[in-house]
Amino acid sequence: SIASADMDFNQLEAFLTAQTKKQGGITSDQAAVISKFWKSHKTKIRESLVNQSCWESGLRGLSWRVDGKSQSRHSAQIHTPVALVELEFGKRGQESEFLCLEFDEVKVNQILKKLSEVEESINALMQPA
Amino acid sequence: MEGPGSREPMLDAKSELIDLQWKLGMAVSSDSCRSLKYPYVAVMLKVADHSGHVKNKSFEMTIPQFQNFYRQFKEIAAVIETV
């Protein structure tokens, strides 16, 4: 009940106090132990519950490097830098799969523009109501 | 997530990114946790392999993972500009 409701410490104290008053409920020593356990493990427990609710592939890793491609046309040397990005994905309990993508500078900037839109949305969501 | 140089990207299986779509979601509740309140970024990549075959790849990131993802792409942009 405590984990499922993601109780904060005030809610926890109220809940445990109510449990000690119930017939067949817990003792105040037991309440103290549960309270201590929840306070020290809340974050890890929550993380585990969140992971259990994630069924899509998660991003497990990202590696990249930038290569300078050279080509000659007539007598001119043309340098076209490319970024190689390797993404590692995986679903909970399954092995990773990898995707290697090649980007030129134009494409990198297009991606950056999209990612800045995501960040704007996140900032708007996190604004206090 | 790893930074540059810690693993060499696979050279023979490069794909081209055609499109990136995203959404910002909030998981509210689930059967294992009634009060999730967990924001996440869902991404759909449309990629074409060397033969031109197009496929979609979708994945999710937590907010900290997304911030790292974004930071890495900013680093790539900074480097690619100087090469």
Side-chain angles (χ1 to χ4, degrees), chain A residues 20-48:
Chain A
T20 57
K21 291 184 158 62
K22 268 164 87 166
Q23 204 172 23
I26 57 177
T27 66
S28 49
D29 282 346
Q30 286 169 327
V33 167
I34 292 169
S35 175
K36 192 173 167 190
F37 178 82
W38 178 243
K39 282 173 183 170
S40 59
H41 291 89
K42 179 180 166 42
T43 307
K44 273 195 207 150
I45 291 170
R46 178 166 164 75
E47 213 174 273
S48 174

Side-chain angles (χ1 to χ4, degrees), chain B residues 21-35:
Chain B
Q21 294 179 325
W22 62 268
K23 72 178 178 210
L24 178 61
M26 175 75 83
V28 173
S29 189
S30 75
D31 62 337
S32 55
C33 185
R34 291 288 181 270
S35 180

Side-chain angles (χ1 to χ4, degrees), chain A residues 4 46 62 100 107 114, chain B residues 2 7 15 17 20 35-36:
Chain A
S4 187
R46 178 166 164 75
L62 187 160
C100 186
K107 196 50 115 353
K114 292 227 174 189
Chain B
E2 297 170 319
R7 188 197 154 112
S15 298
L17 181 67
L20 183 155
S35 180
L36 270 177

Side-chain angles (χ1 to χ4, degrees), chain A residues 95-129:
Chain A
E95 280 191 18
S96 291
E97 56 172 297
F98 295 86
L99 179 65
C100 186
L101 300 172
E102 189 176 293
F103 300 89
D104 60 18
E105 193 173 348
V106 168
K107 196 50 115 353
V108 168
N109 287 323
Q110 284 172 355
I111 299 299
L112 272 187
K113 187 166 179 302
K114 292 227 174 189
L115 297 182
S116 76
E117 290 166 4
V118 180
E119 191 179 58
E120 268 177 45
S121 285
I122 291 170
N123 290 341
L125 181 72
M126 301 306 190
Q127 290 287 334

Side-chain angles (χ1 to χ4, degrees), chain A residues 3-6 46 49-50 52-68 81-87 89 97-105 107-109 111-112 114-119 121-122 125-126, chain B residues 1-11 13-22 24 26 30 32-39 41 45 47 55 57-61 63 65-66 69-70 72-77 79-81 83:
Chain A
S4 187
D6 193 31
R46 178 166 164 75
L49 286 172
V50 162
Q52 279 177 40
S53 306
C54 181
W55 304 309
E56 288 286 336
S57 291
L59 184 65
R60 288 182 179 166
L62 187 160
S63 303
W64 60 268
R65 73 165 199 248
V66 173
D67 286 355
V82 288
L84 295 173
V85 178
E86 185 187 70
L87 301 170
F89 304 107
E97 56 172 297
F98 295 86
L99 179 65
C100 186
L101 300 172
E102 189 176 293
F103 300 89
D104 60 18
E105 193 173 348
K107 196 50 115 353
V108 168
N109 287 323
I111 299 299
L112 272 187
K114 292 227 174 189
L115 297 182
S116 76
E117 290 166 4
V118 180
E119 191 179 58
S121 285
I122 291 170
L125 181 72
M126 301 306 190
Chain B
M1 279 187 263
E2 297 170 319
S6 46
R7 188 197 154 112
E8 288 302 313
M10 294 161 65
L11 296 177
K14 284 174 286 186
S15 298
E16 185 196 338
L17 181 67
I18 297 169
D19 192 28
L20 183 155
Q21 294 179 325
W22 62 268
L24 178 61
M26 175 75 83
S30 75
S32 55
C33 185
R34 291 288 181 270
S35 180
L36 270 177
K37 292 177 293 186
Y38 147 67
V41 178
L45 303 176
V47 297
K55 69 173 186 183
K57 177 67 199 166
S58 63
F59 63 97
E60 285 181 6
M61 291 183 271
I63 301 302
Q65 282 179 331
F66 165 76
F69 185 80
Y70 187 19
Q72 300 257 28
F73 267 90
K74 283 190 213 173
E75 280 180 34
I76 292 169
V79 168
I80 209 170
E81 207 180 322
V83 169

